[in-house]
Amino acid sequence: MGKRLYIGNLPFTSTEDELRTLFGEYGAVLGVDLIGDRETGRPRGFGFVEMEEAAAADAAIAALDGKDFGGRNLKVNVAQERRGG
């Protein structure tokens, strides 16, 4: 079963293709979702990556958490379930 990862502190210029390539080095990427502001559409500096295998996701977390990407240190961890609100 796959794992959904939270990716924080992204440069605002990041693209889905860049993240797919970066995380693809550790295993199959099922999807990338960059989050934008609802009103302006501007990037908010975070997103999610869905990895096909949990082991690949764990390897990506170990390798990429704190890594420089576009001049910013990435924050990579397992995504938490969204809370109602």
Side-chain angles (χ1 to χ4, degrees):
M1 181 168 166
K3 237 184 204 179
R4 186 169 167 88
L5 304 178
Y6 165 83
I7 318 302
N9 204 32
L10 284 169
F12 294 117
T13 57
S14 298
T15 66
E16 289 184 8
D17 287 339
E18 288 174 332
L19 290 177
R20 188 175 298 277
T21 300
L22 180 66
F23 283 83
E25 294 177 27
Y26 304 96
V29 174
L30 298 176
V32 177
D33 188 18
L34 290 176
I35 307 303
D37 185 274
R38 288 183 181 147
E39 293 181 18
T40 65
R42 291 184 181 162
R44 293 190 56 199
F46 72 96
F48 299 92
V49 172
E50 180 92 24
M51 302 287 292
E52 185 173 26
E53 296 181 19
D58 293 340
I61 291 169
L64 298 175
D65 187 40
K67 181 181 177 179
D68 179 78
F69 180 71
R72 301 183 81 170
N73 293 332
L74 294 178
K75 177 69 178 158
V76 182
N77 55 39
V78 176
Q80 302 296 314
E81 288 296 319
R82 192 172 194 180
R83 296 180 185 97

